[in-house]
């Protein structure tokens, strides 16, 4: 197969893209239909990477992208998402139910105002653009207050298609966030809102990322678990502990695992690896996070995952150290920052296709992707 071969009607495809900072998933649900999870920009084209990929496969994005899912509102998962939705005119937009409450809507307004003044584009600003697209598509006579995303939470079914002569049944279900997570997440979002007399603050990450939307895709006998950036929580009713207790978690072992939060230690849960995935060498795919002093996954993160599988693949390596060509300038910069690197490296793609009946996999690496 080559990069531009489209999947067969009865093949589950999970393609993970990442340039070093950013993440996107394209999932073939059978019969030419697609699910897109999160978004990142291709450094070479400055466009959302999934748009170029689906065009190369001759996919009619307007009609065959059935859903666009944003797992959470961090910048590295949302850049370009509004452009995907604009192209996918027939797609439903799905996000975590943590976005639904008034606290988050007020947070969007506060952050959007700040971003307009600072000209900084953030995930929250991207979400505001998406809301404008949804409003522009509302049916005649529909009230603005009734227009918005589909709000997903644990055990929520996003997509379901019955079996046909050409392909078995397919289902996409959310495994997070839990009810307890939603309650806690709203308190944390509320703490970011500007108080009376305070200046408006830029959006910051809510940690641990317990409101992230984890999905399970079942296509015939093929199963994949998309971990987004979900981290371990502080109790048994949040984070990955809660995922393991969901009704929708399949009893069968999962074949493909999109490793959460770039393989970081705070997103590792041994019970997921030993209890939910194939007992021997599940296919694990991961994107790096190359921004900041500590790059993910770190060598110790890779070693930990390799205890469970020999089939671990990463979309791209850490970006090389930047070279300015002037030793004096570099020395001055390193007095402030011990390490500086390009904002994004070369795009990589890990593509896994599984026969829906037998779950027999084909694994392909493109661009900067490599076996970890």
């Amino acid at each position: 197969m080559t990069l531009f071969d489209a999947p067969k009607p009865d093949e589950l495809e999970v393609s993970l893209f990442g340039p070093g900072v950013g993440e996107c998933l394209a999932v073939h649900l059978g019969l030419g239909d697609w699910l897109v999870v999160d978004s990142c920009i291709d450094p070479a084209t400055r466009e959302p990477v999934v748009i170029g990929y689906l065009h190369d496969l001759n996919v009619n994005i307007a009609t065959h992208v059935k859903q666009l899912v944003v797992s959470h509102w961090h910048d590295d998962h949302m850049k370009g998402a509004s452009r995907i939705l604009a192209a996918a005119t027939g797609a439903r937009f799905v996000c975590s139910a943590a976005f639904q409450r008034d606290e988050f809507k007020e947070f969007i307004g506060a952050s959007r105002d700040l971003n307009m003044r600072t000209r900084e584009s953030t995930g929250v600003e991207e979400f505001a653009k998406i809301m404008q697209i949804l409003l522009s598509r509302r049916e005649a006579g529909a009230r603005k207050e009734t227009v918005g995303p589909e709000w997903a939470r644990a055990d929520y079914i996003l997509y379901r298609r019955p079996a046909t002569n050409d392909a078995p049944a397919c289902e996409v279900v959310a495994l997070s966030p839990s009810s307890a997570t939603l309650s806690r997440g709203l308190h944390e979002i509320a703490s970011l809102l500007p108080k009376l007399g305070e200046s408006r603050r830029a959006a910051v990450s809510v940690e641990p990322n317990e409101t992230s939307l984890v999905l399970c895709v079942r296509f015939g006998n093929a199963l994949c678990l998309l971990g987004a950036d979900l981290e371990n929580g502080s109790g048994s009713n949040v984070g990955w502990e809660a995922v393991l207790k969901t009704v929708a978690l399949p009893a069968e072992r999962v074949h493909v695992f999109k490793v959460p939060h770039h393989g970081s230690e705070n997103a590792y849960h041994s019970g997921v690896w030993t209890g939910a995935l194939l007992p021997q060498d599940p296919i694990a795919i991961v994107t790096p996070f190359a921004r900041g002093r500590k790059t993910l996954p770190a060598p110790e993160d890779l070693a930990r995952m390799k205890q469970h599988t020999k089939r671990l693949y990463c979309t791209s390596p850490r970006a090389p150290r930047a070279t300015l060509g002037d030793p004096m300038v570099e020395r001055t910069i390193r007095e402030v920052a011990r390490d500086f690197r390009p904002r994004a490296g070369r795009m990589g793609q890990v593509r896994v296709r599984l026969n829906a009946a037998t779950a027999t996999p084909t694994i392909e690496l493109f661009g900067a992707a490599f076996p970890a």
Side-chain angles (χ1 to χ4, degrees), residues 34-324:
W34 291 83
L35 163 75
V36 176
V37 182
D38 294 335
S39 176
C40 65
I41 300 298
D42 187 337
T45 65
R46 305 308 305 164
E47 292 293 327
V49 64
V50 75
I51 289 181
Y53 177 63
L54 294 180
H55 276 157
D56 288 339
L57 296 184
N58 292 319
V59 173
N60 186 331
I61 294 176
T63 58
H64 282 282
V65 173
K66 297 303 181 182
Q67 290 189 341
L68 170 62
V69 176
V70 167
S71 64
H72 61 299
W73 49 271
H74 289 175
D75 300 359
D76 59 316
H77 288 251
M78 283 203 69
K79 284 193 174 181
S82 61
R83 282 184 269 176
I84 297 173
L85 186 62
T89 55
R92 290 147 53 198
F93 177 67
V94 183
C95 62
S96 170
F99 289 26
Q100 187 175 12
R101 300 292 293 271
D102 291 339
E103 290 92 337
F104 189 79
K105 294 175 183 177
E106 186 179 348
F107 181 40
I108 290 173
S111 298
R112 188 169 189 267
D113 178 74
L114 177 66
N115 298 335
M116 289 177 67
R117 288 188 278 117
T118 62
R119 297 184 180 181
E120 178 188 4
S121 178
T122 71
V124 179
E125 174 71 6
E126 195 77 35
F127 189 83
K129 293 178 183 178
I130 287 171
M131 291 299 294
Q132 290 300 313
I133 293 173
L134 295 177
L135 285 171
S136 72
R137 294 177 179 174
R138 71 183 187 274
E139 296 179 2
R143 294 171 60 89
K144 289 184 177 180
E145 311 89 82
T146 65
V147 176
E150 289 190 29
W151 309 107
R153 57 188 297 165
D155 301 322
Y156 179 86
I157 297 174
L158 283 70
Y159 174 92
R160 177 178 281 167
R161 191 197 65 242
T164 69
N165 291 334
D166 297 314
C170 183
E171 182 177 88
V172 182
V173 62
L175 304 183
S176 71
S178 66
S179 296
T181 300
L182 291 173
S183 298
R184 178 174 176 176
L186 291 174
H187 287 296
E188 295 184 356
I189 289 171
S191 71
L192 300 177
L193 296 173
K195 305 300 188 295
L196 183 64
E198 292 183 353
S199 60
R200 299 192 178 205
R201 292 169 285 173
V204 297
S205 298
V206 177
E207 301 293 350
N209 192 355
E210 295 174 355
T211 61
S212 193
L213 189 60
V214 171
L215 304 179
C216 182
V217 180
R218 179 194 292 271
F219 185 18
N221 294 318
L223 288 163
C224 68
L225 181 60
L226 309 179
D229 268 9
L230 186 69
E231 297 176 6
N232 293 315
S234 56
S236 61
N237 56 355
V238 294
W240 283 102
E241 279 287 326
V243 167
L244 292 173
K245 297 176 182 177
T246 56
V247 173
L249 183 69
E252 304 93 329
R253 297 298 186 98
V254 171
H255 303 92
V256 182
F257 183 35
K258 204 297 290 184
V259 177
H261 202 238
H262 319 289
S264 65
E265 183 179 10
N266 57 6
Y268 170 81
H269 192 297
S270 62
V272 175
W273 287 90
T274 60
L277 309 183
L278 287 178
Q280 184 173 359
D281 294 329
I283 300 169
I285 55 179
V286 62
T287 58
F289 188 80
R291 185 179 296 167
R293 292 183 178 179
K294 182 170 183 180
T295 298
L296 298 174
E300 59 269 25
D301 299 325
L302 294 174
R304 183 172 52 248
M305 291 184 282
K306 286 182 178 180
Q307 294 178 356
H308 299 286
T309 183
K310 296 177 182 176
R311 298 192 292 183
L312 175 64
Y313 305 92
C314 191
T315 58
S316 58
R318 183 175 185 175
R321 293 177 67 130
T323 300
L324 300 179

Side-chain angles (χ1 to χ4, degrees), residues 325-333 335:
D326 188 326
M328 292 186 64
V329 174
E330 289 189 24
R331 185 162 53 249
T332 301
I333 291 176
E335 290 177 359

